[in-house]
Amino acid sequence: MAADKRGGNKTIRDLVLSMLVLGVVVYLIYLFIPHDSKETPVKTETVGYSVELKQARRDAPYPVAGPEGLSAKWHATSVTYSAGDRRNVTWHLGFIDPDQQYVALEQSNGDPTGFISQVTINAHRDAGRTVAVGGTSWQYYTGGRYDALVREEKGVTTVVLGTAPDAQLQRFAATLKP
């Protein structure tokens, strides 16, 4: 029985020592990993998008839009082109505007209702509210996370969305060229 007690005490001692070592490791990880809760969750690294835009314009079954004439204060932060399903080709281009707000361009030739709901994170159409931008009419959508301007044309749905104010979304939409 004495051997069992010593073995039991040794096991408890090892457990306590292991927990102390683990606590020190967790503390060091916490100490060296940034954890600013006020930091924006939007990625702010600038990315180039001209190559992807050219590829999308050559490949997509619809006129792919891209901004022209944005000031250097606008920073592209994300770009994706997906053409795996030719009935649902998508184009995405995300930016941080001069006021550090998120603005994105989304396009697809897929189901407009599902696409709009997905990219706007379930924003709702603001019935009767349209905005004329550059001679083109856009439907306004409001949502919990993003507001959006939506234009549905034959074969393509274009969405400009973001956390930026309406005027900034309109300014961005005015720069879009096919």
Side-chain angles (χ1 to χ4, degrees):
M1 281 200 127
D4 288 338
K5 280 188 173 182
R6 277 187 288 183
N9 288 340
K10 187 176 181 185
T11 303
I12 291 172
R13 189 193 77 191
D14 289 346
L15 177 66
V16 169
L17 288 174
S18 295
M19 289 178 62
L20 285 172
V21 170
L22 185 60
V24 169
V25 170
V26 169
Y27 176 74
L28 289 173
I29 290 172
Y30 175 79
L31 192 63
F32 290 106
I33 293 181
H35 45 273
D36 184 0
S37 63
K38 295 179 183 173
E39 190 173 322
T40 177
V42 177
K43 189 170 74 166
T44 57
E45 300 165 0
T46 300
V47 299
Y49 63 90
S50 61
V51 171
E52 290 85 351
L53 179 57
K54 288 176 187 175
Q55 175 193 356
R57 284 180 169 165
R58 279 192 309 266
D59 185 61
Y62 56 83
V64 172
E68 289 183 12
L70 285 178
S71 77
K73 293 180 180 182
W74 286 77
H75 301 282
T77 59
S78 59
V79 58
T80 57
Y81 174 69
S82 176
D85 178 357
R86 298 303 289 172
R87 294 172 305 211
N88 188 25
V89 174
T90 60
W91 166 244
H92 159 84
L93 187 54
F95 286 86
I96 295 295
D97 76 359
D99 298 324
Q100 300 302 301
Q101 294 296 313
Y102 181 65
V103 177
L105 163 65
E106 307 281 353
Q107 282 189 296
S108 176
N109 65 333
D111 169 51
T113 305
F115 176 69
I116 294 166
S117 179
Q118 177 190 1
V119 297
T120 64
I121 309 176
N122 298 316
H124 300 284
R125 187 174 182 165
D126 192 345
R129 184 171 176 203
T130 59
V131 178
V133 178
T136 305
S137 181
W138 294 74
Q139 180 63 47
Y140 192 77
Y141 279 65
T142 56
R145 185 165 185 183
Y146 300 129
D147 288 337
L149 301 174
V150 176
R151 186 175 73 218
E152 293 182 55
E153 299 174 296
K154 185 178 179 179
V156 64
T157 302
T158 303
V159 179
V160 171
L161 61 85
T163 59
D166 299 350
Q168 194 73 315
L169 295 177
Q170 291 176 34
R171 277 196 266 322
F172 181 78
T175 69
L176 298 179
K177 306 292 183 232

